[in-house]
Amino acid sequence: QVRLVESGGGLVQPGGSLRLSCAASGIGFRSRTMAWYRQAPGNQRELVASISTDGITNYADSVKGRFTCSRDNAKSTVYLQMNNLKPEDTAVYYCNAKYNTYPWGQGTQVTVSS
């Protein structure tokens, strides 16, 4: 059974940090390039970061230098460390396989506000 379960979101002040986690099952995690996406109200879902099976990462220009994506294949989990958060980072964050999109999880809400 395919499951993608995101967690770790919350309310944080500008400049703060959060670490998101995504536990995956049923997708052959070790063989998948994984990605984080986000969707703000009224906007389309956008790609934020990705990590290949051998750990190569790519980031959207808007988060480069602030976000770090990592993975733990033993736990079938992908992480997104978010530092120096800005109000424009406010969105629901989702993970999925980058090239084989599976049913989306519920996402985790990140709100950056003072």
Side-chain angles (χ1 to χ4, degrees):
Q1 182 181 2
V2 174
R3 286 194 74 197
L4 297 167
V5 181
E6 300 91 349
S7 62
L11 173 63
V12 63
Q13 293 186 341
S17 298
L18 284 173
R19 188 192 193 208
L20 307 183
S21 299
C22 172
S25 58
I27 66 168
F29 183 86
R30 290 176 182 265
S31 64
R32 303 292 180 212
T33 291
M34 295 300 295
W36 283 96
Y37 301 81
R38 66 186 180 188
Q39 187 168 19
N43 291 355
Q44 290 189 336
R45 189 172 287 156
E46 64 172 344
L47 177 64
V48 174
S50 65
I51 183 166
S52 69
T53 55
D54 53 359
I56 296 173
T57 53
N58 284 284
Y59 301 95
D61 287 343
S62 58
V63 306
K64 206 170 288 184
R66 300 187 298 121
F67 289 12
T68 302
C69 187
S70 61
R71 65 190 296 160
D72 184 336
N73 288 336
K75 296 182 178 179
S76 296
T77 298
V78 61
Y79 303 97
L80 188 67
Q81 177 67 43
M82 307 187 296
N83 298 329
N84 190 21
L85 283 160
K86 303 176 180 181
E88 51 264 42
D89 295 318
T90 295
V92 180
Y93 284 71
Y94 303 86
C95 74
N96 213 314
K98 187 175 181 182
Y99 302 115
N100 305 81
T101 304
Y102 292 94
W104 295 92
Q106 82 288 348
T108 186
Q109 175 70 50
V110 172
T111 303
V112 185
S113 175
S114 54

